[in-house]
């Protein structure tokens, strides 16, 4: 997942969320994800280090008891992207 590109797009649009572990098509069934399993803090740190943005990241479970159907939600707020515009135009791979 190329998180920084999505983050920049969402932040310029206002407020946004990246939801990982849901099917794209309606009715958006939970398919689960292992993305950043046991490393949500690292994802938050990397996003702040690379882009200067503090995301709100949390996980939800379809079944809390068995911890199955894990969904990862990343929330981002509008920021001023003038100093990050070079990330959008660069060839840098994240």
């Amino acid at each position: 997942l190329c998180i920084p590109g999505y983050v920049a797009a969402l932040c310029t649009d206002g407020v946004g969320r990246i939801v990982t572990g849901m099917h794209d098509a309606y009715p958006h069934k939970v398919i689960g994800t292992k993305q950043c399993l046991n490393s949500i803090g690292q994802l938050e740190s990397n996003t702040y280090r690379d882009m200067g943005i503090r995301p709100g990241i949390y996980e939800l479970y379809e079944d809390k008891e068995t911890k199955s159907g894990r969904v990862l939600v990343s929330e981002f707020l509008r920021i001023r992207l003038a100093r990050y515009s070079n990330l959008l135009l660069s060839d840098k791979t994240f």
Side-chain angles (χ1 to χ4, degrees):
L1 207 61
C2 177
I3 300 287
Y6 290 113
V7 171
L10 290 171
C11 289
T12 57
D13 195 39
V15 176
R17 290 183 184 92
I18 297 173
V19 179
T20 309
M22 300 288 292
H23 196 275
D24 287 339
Y26 185 78
H28 307 295
K29 294 179 183 177
V30 174
I31 56 175
T33 184
K34 292 183 180 181
Q35 175 81 27
C36 299
L37 188 61
N38 301 318
S39 63
I40 291 175
Q42 187 65 47
L43 176 59
E44 291 172 327
S45 295
N46 291 347
T47 303
Y48 183 72
R49 180 197 65 218
D50 295 343
M51 301 193 70
I53 300 167
R54 292 196 187 278
I57 301 177
Y58 55 93
E59 55 192 0
L60 301 171
Y61 291 93
E62 189 172 41
D63 185 339
K64 289 182 185 181
E65 290 180 20
T66 63
K67 293 212 171 199
S68 63
R70 179 177 177 266
V71 175
L72 185 66
V73 181
S74 306
E75 295 182 332
F76 305 92
L77 302 176
R78 177 185 295 265
I79 61 161
R80 292 182 352 182
L81 282 176
R83 66 187 236 209
Y84 306 112
S85 61
N86 62 329
L87 291 174
L88 298 174
L89 302 175
S90 74
D91 292 332
K92 184 176 179 182
T93 303
F94 294 92

